[in-house]
Amino acid sequence: MGWRGIMGFEYGIIQGPLGPDISGPELVAAVANAGGLGLLRAPDWESPDYLKELIRKTRTLTDKPFGVGVVLAFPHKENIKAVLEEKVAVLQVSWGEVPEDLVLEAHRAGVKVVPQVGSFEEAKRVVDAGVDGIIVQGYEAGGHVIGQDALISLLPRVVDLVGDQDIPVIASGGIVDGRGYVAALALGAQGICLGTRFVATEESHAHPTYKRKLVELAKTEYTNVFGRARWPNAPQRVLQTPFFNDWKFLPSHENEVNQPVIGRSTIHGTEKEVRRFAGTVPNASTTGDIESMAMYAGQGVGLIKEILPAAEVVKRLVEGAQLLIQQQFNGI
């Protein structure tokens, strides 16, 4: 069956690296223990010792393999070195070039490299670099979205590009349930990567208000209102909260630098001020005006009806996909 055996994991289900620290050890371990691939999120600054602590804490919660996501747009060399030294199963990278030297170095450490791409051209480059898998992110995805193509058009092109090479192609963007899983399989994917659905879990480190909004609200918008100064040219898909709807036409010359502080947050052990229009989503430690902060979500958010344990999310994805294939497609 298409949902088994991807890169040595029981199910072809990946929990995306949710920033800034929403996917902590508890969520990653829960996904791993349920048979999926959980991904920690590395800090957006060099903090190799802290990252090693995160990895080691995760290992106290699971004996299954897991991975670490690193955003290449931020300082990352020491963090990647820490991932390789700890011999984590998977190094997931995004928002930057993936040189062949990095892939070779990771392979020498026994670590698989799985980049996330948002275009066909980017996919060609990482295939040439010799990566072990590719996450194809569609325009429907939540958070920072690098590409402009919908998953339904981009994914099959990347599948055809890979051909018979042993590089699993993983679909990402707007997938929430077993129907989305089967749709991804029909387009040629061997697995799926979910972000928003795993934010809305019991083990997620997201703020309770953020989780509640993922259940209550159903509309998203692609925007660049948040985090313009810290991460320019990195548009994002966010929930249409009342705050966002009030400020969605923020003039292009405005950014978070000259805005008031609306809260505080401890991110990867570091105290941070949260300014209005900052691109930082509220985690469990965040205080202040939570409802005026960024809340990232993919287009499938309207299908999220409750906060679930992460293991239950994995279980429902697998069983839903199995049932749909058996009931709808076995006779075709």
Side-chain angles (χ1 to χ4, degrees):
M1 291 293 188
W3 55 80
R4 299 188 67 87
I6 183 173
M7 294 192 300
F9 298 93
E10 187 173 357
Y11 301 121
I13 297 170
I14 297 176
Q15 162 254 306
L18 308 169
D21 62 355
I22 302 300
S23 55
E26 293 78 13
L27 176 57
V28 170
V31 172
N33 288 333
L37 170 59
L39 298 175
L40 293 166
R41 168 70 179 269
D44 292 338
W45 56 89
E46 296 285 25
S47 188
D49 292 338
Y50 177 83
L51 182 53
K52 287 183 178 182
E53 288 179 18
L54 274 184
I55 293 167
R56 291 167 185 173
K57 182 178 180 182
T58 307
R59 284 179 170 148
T60 68
L61 302 174
T62 183
D63 59 0
K64 301 288 183 67
F66 56 90
V68 177
V70 176
V71 177
L72 301 177
F74 299 112
H76 59 268
K77 290 185 178 180
E78 293 302 312
N79 289 341
I80 287 181
K81 184 179 178 183
V83 172
L84 302 188
E85 288 176 353
E86 289 293 315
K87 299 187 183 299
V88 175
V90 171
L91 169 63
Q92 189 270 343
V93 292
S94 60
W95 286 86
E97 294 298 319
V98 184
E100 186 177 354
D101 289 349
L102 171 59
V103 178
L104 292 172
E105 184 182 5
H107 288 172
R108 284 194 292 270
V111 176
K112 294 176 180 178
V113 180
V114 181
Q116 177 177 280
V117 305
S119 70
F120 181 77
E121 292 73 23
E122 195 179 4
K124 287 176 68 175
R125 291 195 294 271
V126 299
V127 167
D128 291 341
V131 301
D132 301 282
I134 303 172
I135 298 173
V136 178
Q137 184 195 50
Y139 181 72
E140 305 91 335
H144 293 88
V145 181
I146 197 169
Q148 295 292 306
D149 293 325
L151 189 63
I152 197 170
S153 57
L154 178 60
L155 179 60
R157 293 189 70 203
V158 177
V159 169
D160 290 347
L161 169 71
V162 169
D164 59 2
Q165 299 178 71
D166 187 21
I167 304 175
V169 177
I170 300 133
S172 177
I175 300 170
V176 170
D177 58 18
R179 293 170 294 181
Y181 197 166
V182 173
L185 295 175
L187 293 170
Q190 292 174 264
I192 53 173
C193 180
L194 296 86
T196 310
R197 176 63 269 192
F198 282 113
V199 177
T201 57
E202 293 178 0
E203 296 89 348
S204 151
H205 194 50
H207 193 279
T209 299
Y210 182 13
K211 295 184 186 183
R212 189 180 74 248
K213 293 293 185 184
L214 293 174
V215 174
E216 292 176 351
L217 302 179
K219 292 184 178 181
T220 66
E221 188 157 331
Y222 188 70
T223 182
N224 73 340
V225 163
F226 296 102
R228 289 173 177 173
R230 174 177 170 269
W231 194 356
N233 302 312
Q236 62 275 167
R237 183 171 296 283
V238 303
L239 275 178
Q240 287 189 22
T241 62
F243 172 83
F244 173 74
N245 286 330
D246 286 343
W247 292 94
K248 65 196 309 185
F249 300 113
L250 186 71
S252 59
H253 65 276
E254 294 282 357
N255 61 49
E256 68 272 27
V257 172
N258 62 351
Q259 295 295 317
V261 174
I262 61 171
R264 297 183 181 276
S265 192
T266 301
I267 301 170
H268 288 305
T270 302
E271 296 288 333
K272 301 277 189 180
E273 291 181 338
V274 180
R275 293 185 179 273
R276 188 168 61 186
F277 307 128
T280 304
V281 296
N283 67 21
S285 76
T286 306
T287 58
D289 185 3
I290 305 298
E291 300 209 11
S292 296
M293 297 180 187
M295 296 186 186
Y296 301 146
Q299 286 186 334
V301 67
L303 296 169
I304 297 175
K305 304 301 183 184
E306 57 187 325
I307 308 301
L308 296 170
E312 182 65 18
V313 171
V314 173
K315 179 173 181 284
R316 291 188 185 189
L317 283 164
V318 173
E319 291 181 352
Q322 289 174 332
L323 185 63
L324 183 59
I325 289 173
Q326 290 165 1
Q327 290 185 342
Q328 300 291 331
F329 303 115
N330 269 359
I332 295 177

